[in-house]
Amino acid sequence: MTQNIEKLNTVLNHVKETFVGKNDVVDLLGICLLARENAFLYGPPGTAKSAIVRTLAKTVKDGKNFEYLLTRFTEPNEIFGPFDIRKLKEGELLTNTEGMMPEASMVFLDEIFNANSAILNSLLMALNEKIFKRGKETKHLPALMFVGASNVLPEDEALNALFDRFLIRINVDYVHPDLLHQVLLAGRKLENNLETETPEILSHEIKELQDLCKTVDLRPIYEVYLNTIISLRNTGIAISDRRAVKLQNLIAASALICGRNEAILSDLWVLKHIWDTEEQIEILEGIINRTIEKDDHPKSHPQALQNKTPNPEEVMKDVKILVEKWNQGSLSFEEQNVIKDKLRYLQTRCEWIRNPEQKQYIQQEIENLWQKILQTV
């Protein structure tokens, strides 16, 4: 199994080298692949969402890939396949799934929230239970992972169930200006199809790892995980019982991909990526970073403590927003908790500010707000 883990890590490193500045995206896709859970890519056009998934899919040597751009007018036949005409003449309603989603090992659905009611129910079952059901026809899907993508978040309540099926939400943005030069060189190389040796992994090797993932011991972090879920719910982040159960698979995958058979505290880093709205991204990062920051295990996942150097002006701006909100008064218990969590997050970020004068000034403003909060309580 160690050999298979090395193979998977080699594949992920290849994708990282191909797409500069997207390490977090690739690592999260690797976690979802290992846990056999679905991933959602959120970001503006031109951020290589589909290209990353396509490159990862190509490394599965014997895999069949299915990729489709959904529109409001997409019909079930375009995703699942048309009815078999020969069987239809015999009075049987069977789907010809050759080359379609029900036979694919890697599935990528772009603009996923364009899914209409005609395909929604079948899609929900496929995403959640890895089963394709159409009339009397039922088929277990071989899909190793489903990936959805969109540059908008769902506004229609009917699509919330679809969004909920994607356990991990990955924010894909333009790369940092410091990395742009490397991006241009790597992109030129990719567009010119310059030959590079592509590492490969077999689908049955991934399935073996997915089975092994279920045996990872979560007892060392179970109590902290339970308290974290309760804390997140109190902050207003909706985590259903089903999602809470499934998230354990991602924690186990983080451990396994690092070559461990038991979870450690830093494996909870994956919980930073279970947001429903953009506003929750910072809240989650603050809460989870505080939970895992004391873990210095030598075999921690590389994404566990990736704290980006903050912009002091942006941090100060966020502090002022919180001060204004608190001063407004008449806040509900939940709203108060959100402000406290955001303030703790900013306090953590403040530690990473390099300029000592700016750091001290912002810390003083944060301390002043804490004093106000304590006086109110």
Side-chain angles (χ1 to χ4, degrees):
M1 284 303 166
T2 304
Q3 187 180 0
N4 288 348
I5 292 169
E6 287 176 1
K7 270 191 172 185
L8 180 58
N9 277 316
T10 302
V11 159
L12 296 177
N13 287 332
H14 164 72
V15 183
K16 289 178 195 176
E17 289 167 7
T18 306
F19 298 94
V20 177
K22 304 292 185 184
N23 287 10
D24 55 340
V25 179
V26 178
D27 279 330
L28 284 163
L29 287 174
I31 292 290
C32 287
L33 179 60
L34 198 51
R36 206 189 180 198
E37 296 292 351
N38 309 320
F40 170 70
L41 303 179
Y42 171 64
T47 48
K49 296 188 294 293
S50 56
I52 291 171
V53 178
R54 204 174 295 131
T55 303
L56 179 60
K58 283 179 182 176
T59 63
V60 184
K61 187 179 180 181
D62 59 340
K64 295 178 181 178
N65 307 316
F66 182 80
E67 180 181 335
Y68 208 81
L69 174 66
L70 295 178
T71 72
R72 288 177 298 166
F73 309 106
T74 301
E75 296 181 357
N77 291 356
E78 299 172 57
I79 303 292
F80 307 110
F83 286 114
D84 191 320
I85 300 299
R86 289 170 298 180
K87 295 290 183 181
L88 194 59
K89 289 178 179 177
E90 298 169 11
E92 288 186 75
L93 279 177
L94 290 177
T95 307
N96 180 7
T97 59
E98 187 177 351
M100 308 305 283
M101 192 194 83
E103 292 189 3
S105 53
M106 296 282 281
V107 179
F108 177 59
L109 299 174
D110 203 0
E111 298 303 336
I112 185 77
F113 298 125
N114 283 335
N116 55 51
S117 56
I119 63 173
L120 200 54
N121 288 338
S122 295
L123 203 52
L124 288 174
M125 182 168 282
L127 289 166
N128 194 46
E129 300 171 42
K130 304 297 187 291
I131 290 175
F132 166 58
K133 189 171 177 63
R134 201 179 195 183
K136 295 180 180 179
E137 194 177 2
T138 301
K139 181 176 182 177
H140 287 273
L141 304 179
L144 300 169
M145 177 173 64
F146 285 86
V147 181
S150 177
N151 54 20
V152 295
L153 294 176
E155 295 180 358
D156 187 346
E157 285 188 12
L159 294 171
N160 286 342
L162 181 60
F163 191 36
D164 192 60
R165 297 302 193 272
F166 292 94
L167 200 57
I168 282 287
R169 287 81 188 265
I170 308 172
N171 193 22
V172 190
D173 209 343
Y174 299 115
V175 298
H176 193 278
D178 293 346
L179 295 172
L180 191 55
H181 178 65
Q182 296 177 53
V183 170
L184 296 176
L185 294 176
R188 183 75 171 167
K189 185 178 178 182
L190 190 65
E191 284 205 342
N192 290 337
N193 293 318
L194 295 178
E195 287 189 15
T196 54
E197 191 174 342
T198 303
E200 295 173 338
I201 189 168
L202 298 171
S203 55
H204 79 84
E205 291 171 333
I206 295 175
K207 286 175 184 174
E208 287 171 6
L209 287 176
Q210 289 175 341
D211 290 337
L212 188 62
C213 193
K214 297 170 185 174
T215 68
V216 172
D217 186 4
L218 298 182
R219 286 175 297 180
I221 55 92
Y222 185 74
E223 187 176 347
V224 178
Y225 173 67
L226 183 62
N227 290 334
T228 302
I229 293 297
I230 293 169
S231 174
L232 292 176
R233 283 177 171 177
N234 288 339
T235 307
I237 297 172
I239 302 172
S240 65
D241 292 347
R242 182 185 65 189
R243 285 177 70 80
V245 170
K246 280 181 165 288
L247 285 169
Q248 295 176 105
N249 298 333
L250 300 175
I251 296 168
S254 174
L256 186 59
I257 210 164
C258 295
R260 290 180 275 106
N261 59 10
E262 67 173 24
I264 58 176
L265 198 58
S266 62
D267 289 322
L268 294 175
W269 72 273
V270 296
L271 300 181
K272 295 181 190 181
H273 305 278
I274 60 171
W275 45 268
D276 291 320
T277 64
E278 289 184 85
E279 291 74 26
Q280 292 176 354
I281 295 175
E282 286 190 353
I283 297 172
L284 278 165
E285 193 167 339
I287 293 172
I288 303 306
N289 276 346
R290 285 198 310 277
T291 304
I292 67 178
E293 63 186 355
K294 294 178 182 177
D295 191 346
D296 57 357
H297 196 287
K299 279 193 172 183
S300 290
H301 193 283
Q303 289 295 332
L305 291 173
Q306 282 291 326
N307 284 297
K308 299 169 187 173
T309 304
N311 182 326
E313 291 180 5
E314 290 180 3
V315 175
M316 191 61 228
K317 182 181 175 183
D318 289 339
V319 171
K320 286 181 177 178
I321 291 171
L322 293 183
V323 171
E324 289 173 7
K325 283 184 178 178
W326 189 267
N327 288 340
Q328 287 173 3
S330 302
L331 296 167
S332 67
F333 177 72
E334 188 178 281
E335 287 170 332
Q336 288 182 1
N337 278 340
V338 169
I339 289 176
K340 290 175 187 176
D341 280 322
K342 283 188 175 181
L343 194 57
R344 290 189 193 101
Y345 168 73
L346 293 174
Q347 205 163 19
T348 304
R349 300 289 284 150
C350 205
E351 294 296 326
W352 295 84
I353 294 174
R354 291 170 183 167
N355 186 305
E357 292 178 2
Q358 291 176 320
K359 180 178 177 179
Q360 186 178 2
Y361 178 74
I362 297 171
Q363 283 177 330
Q364 186 58 52
E365 292 296 310
I366 290 173
E367 182 59 32
N368 291 342
L369 180 53
W370 275 124
Q371 290 300 325
K372 285 185 180 180
I373 291 172
L374 289 171
Q375 288 168 10
T376 307
V377 174

